[in-house]
Amino acid sequence: MGLGLVPLGLAFGVFVTQSGLAWWWASAFAALIYAGSFEFLLVGLVAAVAPLGTVALTALLVNVRHVFYTLSFPLHRVSGRFAKSYSTFALTDEAYALTTSEQARSWPGRRILWLQLFMHLYWAGGATAGGLLGSFIPDGVTGLDFALTALFTVLALDALRERRGDLPTPVLALLSALVARLAFPHQMLLAAFALFTAALLVRHFTARKRSRRA
């Protein structure tokens, strides 16, 4: 998984330079923001000089899923205030998928932290290399921003295989999108995220209530 972030980082770095930004923006985004899909969106927002309010709202909508990650991410195994702070900062989709899998239930906090650090380094290193090499890649090359979407698809399929007995999350997402499209066609994205968030909360608290009764 970690090595898989290198080509994704390369794609991101190339995407940064092809968007008209200097190469070092790729390093800065990867090291200081480290938010995957939001970084791809942020490149367009920075290039368009979008207002800070728009950037903040976009960051909230894209990263609201991390609220749910904290419900099951094993942060309690990580010791120390600084280590917990970094582990929270470095909580990406990939790190969450690996640390909450069946095989990772016995992992100590130190292993979780090293895994997150190396994934961060792979991403930042790939992005820096992509930013430096971006000027050598023809402008006609397209689809670089789809690389992260492809990785998310693979992670989602793996997660579905491990949670076969659970209510399929994609069904909730699809229903949320359909309701938002019909009821709030001019604010579909915001409404869909809000409905999806509410559905996940209801599912989480319902499942916890059932487990207490059992």
Side-chain angles (χ1 to χ4, degrees):
M1 177 65 75
L3 291 176
L5 290 175
V6 175
L8 288 173
L10 283 168
F12 174 68
V14 173
F15 181 63
V16 168
T17 54
Q18 289 195 347
S19 298
L21 300 177
W23 69 268
W24 54 266
W25 279 100
S27 304
F29 284 166
L32 302 177
I33 299 176
Y34 190 39
S37 55
F38 175 65
E39 290 177 54
F40 277 89
L41 292 175
L42 187 59
V43 171
L45 293 173
V46 170
V49 197
L52 287 177
T54 302
V55 175
L57 180 60
T58 304
L60 174 65
L61 291 175
V62 173
N63 294 317
V64 70
R65 66 188 184 281
H66 289 260
V67 173
F68 301 98
Y69 289 172
T70 60
L71 298 175
S72 53
F73 179 70
L75 185 63
H76 59 280
R77 296 185 211 158
V78 179
S79 302
R81 184 176 300 177
F82 177 78
K84 284 181 179 291
S85 300
Y86 177 75
S87 185
T88 303
F89 166 74
L91 177 54
T92 61
D93 300 285
E94 297 81 5
Y96 176 80
L98 288 176
T99 57
T100 57
S101 64
E102 187 70 25
Q103 297 85 347
R105 289 190 175 182
S106 60
W107 288 4
R110 182 172 295 183
R111 181 171 180 177
I112 295 172
L113 202 60
W114 277 112
L115 178 142
Q116 290 182 283
L117 177 60
F118 275 103
M119 293 179 77
H120 193 174
L121 291 175
Y122 284 135
W123 173 255
T128 301
L132 291 171
L133 298 173
S135 58
F136 298 102
I137 296 179
D139 294 338
V141 176
T142 60
L144 294 174
D145 52 339
F146 184 73
L148 201 60
T149 304
L151 177 62
F152 286 161
T153 303
V154 173
L155 290 174
L157 291 174
D158 287 341
L160 286 174
R161 289 194 191 101
E162 291 195 359
R163 300 170 64 89
R164 290 178 181 176
D166 200 356
L167 180 63
T169 300
V171 174
L172 291 178
L174 180 60
L175 290 175
S176 300
L178 288 175
V179 172
R181 179 68 179 87
L182 294 174
F184 308 98
H186 300 295
Q187 296 179 325
M188 178 183 170
L189 184 61
L190 180 61
F193 271 110
L195 289 171
F196 186 52
T197 301
L200 290 177
L201 283 173
V202 169
R203 188 181 70 168
H204 171 72
F205 288 113
T206 302
R208 191 167 69 173
K209 192 174 181 179
R210 287 178 180 171
S211 64
R212 287 178 177 174
R213 290 179 178 176

